[in-house]
Every structure is written in structure tokens, then in C-alpha cells.
Amino acid sequence: MIYNVLDYGALGDGIKNDTEAIQAAIDACNAAGGGQVLLPGGHTYRAGVIMLCENLDLHLEMGAVLKGSDNLDDYILSRAMERRTVQQDGMGLAAGLRESTETIVKKRDVPSYVNSEYAGQPTHYFIYGKDCDNVAITGLGTIDGNEEIFYGDVTKWHIEGIFYPRAPLLFLENISHLTITGVTLAHSAFWTVHMIGCRDVLIDGIRILNNLKMANCDGIDPDHCQNVRISNCHVECADDCIVFKNTLAYMQYGPCENIVVNNCTLTSTSAAIKFGTESEDLYRNIFIENCTISRSNRAISLQLRDKGSIENVTFHNIGIDTRLFKRDVFWGAAEPISITVLKRKEDTQVGHVKNVHFSNIFCRGENGIFLYAEKDGDISNVTFDNVSVDLWEQTDYEKGFHDLRPSTGEWFTEKGLCYVYAHKAENVSFNNCSFGADGSIKNQLATEYKILDCKNFHI
């Protein structure tokens, strides 16, 4: 069965709030046991929280735009739930929600590039699904997060949100057999596709087009997820494009494991592919191949800051182009490959990184490979086969630093541009690798390799 939202009262004129009509179509679909909820093309549908159900295909035709409301109250989940379950007069409901909003929305004392700790539970939501089987979001339409209403401080280089955490575009928890194909996801003010405890996930052929100045608008975040395939996607965002998480609030869902990423094109003002920093559980058996990374502040970053560990990870056939962004607002210093194991807090018991393999990786950019652990053995068994690093100057930002954020100590290493910087890494080998520098950047090399307190390290 097809449930056309226009038949349930949606206008799709880009002005009227169509939340109730869209939700009514989803609820009718749910009551019938499943089907497709259709948003016809040629319309812009404005909405707040939309709650998904099982056995649902939310289908956006080409030319259909589902755009977030201009009213922050519309993103409060309790409001959506009350609408469905409780009959109240409009004034009483609105007053209660205003009070709720004042409680939830608090401006941060420091910007998120200073402290971005996040347990994984937002205060606001847009597209929301939980405890469902067989959920799909399909079509060639667009879901627009309306990022502007979440703006706080705006500078030439960076947009900080007015509060943190903000509304994810898609928040999907404990869903089995999840499919997202074809759609364009745009202008998210926070994590775009946050999947928590999801199993058997297929994300194929989607585009994520976010503002490269908007802080924290990650692309795809598998969080405690298993059996995930991410293929044929294009992602542009400030912060990280594809980032594996193990947040504290969702430990019941187990490790992040058995994941394949392939054939993706990625651009980021932080890291294109990242593990962490939320790393409370194990990452295991993750394979990334046949991807291109361009115009990114970092390309591949394994940032372990908590008690979880990273094991059995392979990167293969990846082209990398990095460039520096303003380093006091975006994490990263143009490292093509960065592995760091640092304590988030002084009392943190941090995990380890081991059995990581890089092959056929071609790096061009403004910094070299970076491996940094605080304790012997926290980084071990890392191999680089047929990896090239070509330093190439693209910006006039100061070069030669490496980014340690978040950390309990210094934010950056001492200055000194080199092809490989390693600290307390064990059993590391570079085989059939090449290193070079072009033009003026060659004169900025402090040394070719800086290897500090490492064991069994071979170039």
C-alpha cells in the first residue's frame, strides 16, 4: 500500500507545518502492517519531529524536499509523542513545551572545539526511529535540516551552534534491517545519520551536503552498530564524514563491528574517516576501500580516548588530498593518516589500537603520517604497504604541528614538519613506501622521520 501524505492533509507549500499530516500517513501505514509513505515531488514539506515505524518505506520522489521547521519547539520529542497520545488544548500544550525548551536549550560555556563530550543522547530530534524492524528511507528527494535556526557564533571560518547537542537529521536506534538509499541529506546542524545499535544496515548512493563551516555536522555515524555496508556515497561536512562511535549511553548494544565502507567520495573540515572520539566499547573487523578523500583537514583518523579498543581494521585503495584549515576551530592538522591513543581525562583507562593495515594509499597534502600513544603498547601491529606521502603546499597556514585534541595536556605537538611522526608505537612497518615533497614545502622539512620511544619500528 502507498500512503500519500497529500491525502492526509499535507500542503507541501514550504510554509505550512505538515508534521501532523506526515505523521498521520505513517501511523496509517503502521496500523495496516506496513507499506510506503510517499512524499510526492514538486513540494517542500515543513515539519518537526517525524516518528518512524516498522515495515516502513519513507519515499521522497525527485523534487520532494522535507525541510525542518523554523520553530525549535517542534524538534522536542515529547511534543510529538503528546500529539499522538494526549488531547490537550493548544494553549496548555504550548506553555508546557515552552517551559521544556527553556530547560533543554542551554548555551555552552565553551565552544565545541574545546570540549565536545557527548554521551549520544540529543535534546532535539528531526527524523526519529526506535525499536523497529524493516525501515527504509528511499527516493531521490531531499531531507533538509534547516541548519540556520541552530546558529550561534558565526565567523569567517566557523559556525558554532547556539547549543549542544543539536538535532540530528536522522536519529535511528535499535533498528534491524535498515536501508537508506538515493536520498540527499543536506544542511544538518548536527550528526546527519546517527545510527545507534542498528543491525543489518545498507546505506547506498546517498549524498550528504552540509555546510563546511558548521561545527559538529558529521555525516554518517554508526554507533554500537553491527553488519553495516556503506557504499557509493558522497559526503561533504564540517567535522567528520564517516565516523564510527561507541558512545557511553548505549553500551547495551555492544561493539561497533563487521562494517564495510567502499566507493565513497569524502570532503571534511575535520576527518573524512574517523574512529572515536567516543570510544567506550570495541571496534572490530572494519574494512574501508576504494575511496577518495579531498580537501580535508585530516583524511583517516583513529582517535581513541576511552576504554574501548580498535582491532582488525583495513584501509585499501584510497586516494588522499589534505589541506590545512584554521587550527583553533577545527580539529586536525592536515595529517593524511593519524592514530592517537590518549586519555580523555586524567583518570581514564584508555584502550589500545592493534592489527591495522594500510595498503595502496596515496597521500598528497600539507602534513605527514602521525602515530601517537601515551603508553607503550597502546598502538601496535600497524603495517603500511605501498603507501606514498607527497607533501604539497596549498595554504599559508603554519605547518609542522600535529593535533592531539581532545587531550588532558597540550593540544598540539611541537613544530617540526616530517613525513612520519611516531611516539610509543610498537611493531610498525613501512614496506614499499615512498616519501617526497614539492616546491617550497620541501625547505620546511625539519627531518624526514621523527621516531620517539618506539619499539620494532621499521621504515
Side-chain angles (χ1 to χ4, degrees):
M1 287 285 291
I2 295 177
Y3 301 83
N4 187 327
V5 298
L6 297 177
D7 295 336
Y8 289 82
L11 293 185
D13 60 0
I15 300 171
K16 176 182 176 290
N17 190 316
D18 287 322
T19 305
E20 292 187 15
I22 296 170
Q23 194 62 60
I26 292 173
D27 291 345
C29 177
N30 186 39
Q36 181 183 92
V37 170
L38 174 66
L39 278 67
H43 297 275
T44 296
Y45 308 87
R46 302 302 296 268
V49 180
I50 299 294
M51 290 182 286
L52 307 179
C53 66
E54 64 183 9
N55 300 321
L56 168 70
D57 173 14
L58 181 65
H59 186 81
L60 291 85
E61 284 186 342
M62 177 72 82
V65 178
L66 176 57
K67 185 172 182 177
S69 166
D70 288 331
N71 185 351
L72 284 176
D73 285 352
D74 291 342
Y75 297 89
I76 298 174
L77 186 61
S78 59
R79 176 174 192 154
M81 291 181 172
E82 286 179 38
R83 261 188 183 155
R84 298 173 82 192
T85 59
V86 179
Q87 293 295 324
Q88 297 186 35
D89 67 277
M91 183 177 297
L93 178 59
L97 290 164
R98 278 195 298 272
E99 181 180 352
S100 176
T101 304
E102 290 169 2
T103 301
I104 291 172
V105 177
K106 294 182 179 179
K107 188 174 176 61
R108 291 171 57 85
D109 295 329
V110 297
S112 59
Y113 55 82
V114 175
N115 182 0
S116 62
E117 290 186 28
Y118 175 47
Q121 294 176 310
T123 58
H124 291 64
Y125 301 81
F126 185 17
I127 310 300
Y128 175 86
K130 183 179 179 184
D131 302 333
C132 304
D133 288 341
N134 302 320
V135 174
I137 300 172
T138 65
L140 295 175
T142 298
I143 302 177
D144 186 321
N146 196 16
E147 65 174 65
E148 292 87 352
I149 68 166
F150 297 95
Y151 281 7
D153 296 331
V154 178
T155 71
K156 176 181 177 181
W157 305 277
H158 175 264
I159 300 170
E160 184 71 21
I162 196 170
F163 63 95
Y164 181 99
R166 298 176 291 282
L169 197 72
L170 305 179
F171 184 93
L172 306 165
E173 180 182 351
N174 191 27
I175 295 177
S176 294
H177 316 304
L178 171 65
T179 302
I180 305 173
T181 60
V183 292
T184 295
L185 308 176
H187 307 136
S188 181
F190 200 60
W191 298 3
T192 307
V193 182
H194 187 188
M195 303 176 292
I196 308 102
C198 294
R199 300 159 302 280
D200 184 3
V201 176
L202 174 64
I203 299 179
D204 193 358
I206 74 168
R207 297 172 176 86
I208 296 179
L209 304 176
N210 288 339
N211 188 334
L212 288 172
K213 292 168 58 177
M214 183 72 202
N216 315 118
C217 63
D218 294 0
I220 301 171
D221 295 59
D223 186 353
H224 294 280
C225 291
Q226 298 89 41
N227 303 326
V228 178
R229 293 90 71 207
I230 301 171
S231 301
N232 308 313
C233 298
H234 176 69
V235 183
E236 297 181 14
C237 58
D239 269 321
D240 312 304
C241 292
I242 298 175
V243 47
F244 309 104
K245 302 283 189 183
N246 279 316
T247 52
L248 182 61
Y250 300 105
M251 295 295 287
Q252 70 269 28
Y253 294 120
C256 211
E257 63 181 350
N258 305 334
I259 298 173
V260 174
V261 177
N262 58 29
N263 304 332
C264 293
T265 52
L266 310 170
T267 297
S268 167
T269 44
S270 191
I273 298 171
K274 178 176 157 185
F275 291 64
T277 64
E278 296 83 1
S279 44
E280 297 286 348
D281 207 332
L282 178 66
Y283 303 90
R284 179 173 54 200
N285 301 336
I286 298 176
F287 299 86
I288 298 99
E289 64 179 0
N290 300 338
C291 293
T292 63
I293 296 168
S294 62
R295 297 180 295 119
S296 292
N297 201 16
R298 273 182 303 201
I300 298 168
S301 180
L302 281 60
Q303 287 178 269
L304 202 59
R305 296 296 183 272
D306 303 303
K307 65 178 179 289
S309 294
I310 299 172
E311 299 179 357
N312 307 339
V313 178
T314 295
F315 298 88
H316 179 66
N317 283 0
I318 298 177
I320 290 172
D321 178 12
T322 62
R323 50 144 293 171
L324 287 164
F325 287 76
K326 191 170 176 59
R327 67 183 172 118
D328 60 350
V329 295
F330 283 114
W331 291 358
E335 303 96 340
I337 297 170
S338 173
I339 303 176
T340 56
V341 181
L342 297 161
K343 295 186 293 185
R344 184 182 298 278
K345 299 178 180 178
E346 290 294 344
D347 59 351
T348 299
Q349 297 298 313
V350 72
H352 61 260
V353 175
K354 71 176 184 181
N355 300 337
V356 180
H357 181 60
F358 299 90
S359 64
N360 293 358
I361 312 291
F362 307 101
C363 312
R364 190 177 192 225
E366 295 190 295
N367 211 339
I369 293 171
F370 184 52
L371 311 176
Y372 194 101
E374 290 179 302
K375 186 162 55 71
D376 291 339
D378 283 351
I379 297 175
S380 65
N381 301 339
V382 180
T383 58
F384 298 84
D385 291 326
N386 192 30
V387 174
S388 67
V389 176
D390 293 315
L391 299 184
W392 178 53
E393 189 163 37
Q394 300 181 68
T395 70
D396 58 3
Y397 289 121
E398 191 174 17
K399 297 169 181 62
F401 297 95
H402 297 85
D403 199 337
L404 296 169
R405 291 176 288 181
S407 70
T408 57
E410 296 293 329
W411 281 9
F412 295 90
T413 64
E414 71 283 359
K415 183 179 178 181
L417 186 63
C418 53
Y419 299 127
V420 178
Y421 183 122
H423 180 269
K424 291 188 180 296
E426 296 185 0
N427 301 324
V428 177
S429 63
F430 287 77
N431 309 303
N432 192 33
C433 296
S434 64
F435 305 93
D438 295 334
S440 63
I441 201 168
K442 188 172 186 177
N443 299 326
Q444 301 176 48
L445 277 174
T447 182
E448 290 186 335
Y449 316 111
K450 191 164 188 173
I451 313 302
L452 306 172
D453 298 327
C454 295
K455 299 176 181 178
N456 194 24
F457 196 105
H458 301 285
I459 296 184

